[in-house]
Amino acid sequence: MAQAGAYLTNAQGTRLHDTDHSLKAGPRGPVLLQDHHLREKVMHFDHERIPERVVHARGAAAHGVFQSYGTAASVTKAEFLQKDVETPVFVRFSTVVGSRGSADTVRDTRGFATKFYTSEGVFDLVGNNIPVFFIQDAIKFPDIIHAVKPQPDREIPQAQSAHDTFWDFVSLHTEATHHTLWHISDRGIPAPTG
């Protein structure tokens, strides 16, 4: 309806003129914390309790140690990147959309998350196996996840992103279209072994 001339509101009923872009410092600047709509939207998304709509719900992980060679020491003050510093890590590999019990071989974006437990705090490093991300603005993150996951009341469809909500989102956002083109290439399925 919003595209047909109606408008959306925030939780307090205030009209929102733009729901697809965060408030930024300049055209490509950082997102500003004074963007109340972004903070409200992400807070609502983070507090959902619909387990099967959680991204990266299926994966495997391992503990280990990261030892720095010190090659970044000249460009950072981060203690864990100085020469010969050993840092405990936890690494997780997962599919993005797959629900509990889904197969490892389905077409899906694969992601990783690495937690470095440094003496200065926890440093999180995350990424996906596709060089283009679904969205350019964090305010759209709840929207893409809602579009790609099964409907919460029926838990269908189960065919990953083969349903109208996903294709509606992709058709309206060029970065999601670009990501989808990568996704339907060989990057979307695991490489055969052997």
Side-chain angles (χ1 to χ4, degrees):
M1 275 182 60
Q3 286 83 13
Y7 58 87
L8 300 174
T9 62
N10 67 9
Q12 289 75 39
T14 304
R15 184 175 177 170
L16 297 170
H17 296 282
D18 184 356
T19 61
D20 282 342
H21 301 93
S22 299
L23 186 59
K24 295 185 177 92
R28 293 188 55 81
V31 173
L32 301 175
L33 285 177
Q34 64 204 46
D35 187 340
H36 300 288
H37 173 57
L38 167 67
R39 291 174 34 221
E40 177 183 88
K41 185 175 183 177
V42 172
M43 187 272 304
H44 280 267
F45 179 71
D46 287 344
H47 288 85
E48 287 180 355
R49 291 296 171 249
I50 308 170
E52 286 304 315
R53 292 182 83 175
V54 174
V55 292
H56 299 280
R58 172 114 168 62
H63 288 277
V65 175
F66 171 79
Q67 182 173 356
S68 172
Y69 293 119
T71 52
S74 65
V75 295
T76 184
K77 295 271 186 205
E79 184 270 335
F80 80 104
L81 293 174
Q82 304 306 311
K83 186 165 179 55
D84 296 326
V85 174
E86 288 191 356
T87 305
V89 295
F90 183 75
V91 181
R92 185 167 192 273
F93 299 95
S94 59
T95 56
V96 172
V97 179
S99 301
R100 286 179 302 184
S102 63
D104 289 330
T105 55
V106 297
R107 185 171 298 279
D108 199 347
T109 302
R110 273 126 182 106
F112 74 90
T114 305
K115 285 187 179 291
F116 295 83
Y117 297 96
T118 78
S119 61
E120 300 166 311
V122 178
F123 174 67
D124 284 321
L125 179 66
V126 297
N128 287 330
N129 70 328
I130 294 179
V132 179
F133 199 59
F134 311 87
I135 54 174
Q136 289 183 351
D137 195 320
I139 200 166
K140 296 179 188 176
F141 187 74
D143 302 330
I144 183 62
I145 300 309
H146 288 156
V148 77
K149 285 294 202 171
Q151 297 299 318
D153 55 343
R154 298 178 299 277
E155 291 194 20
I156 56 173
Q158 291 293 326
Q160 302 296 20
S161 57
H163 51 287
D164 293 345
T165 54
F166 172 74
W167 293 109
D168 286 347
F169 186 89
V170 168
S171 71
L172 294 170
H173 300 89
T174 55
E175 65 271 26
T177 306
H178 191 179
H179 178 92
T180 302
L181 292 174
W182 277 92
H183 184 82
I184 60 176
S185 74
D186 288 344
R187 283 280 181 109
I189 51 177
T193 60

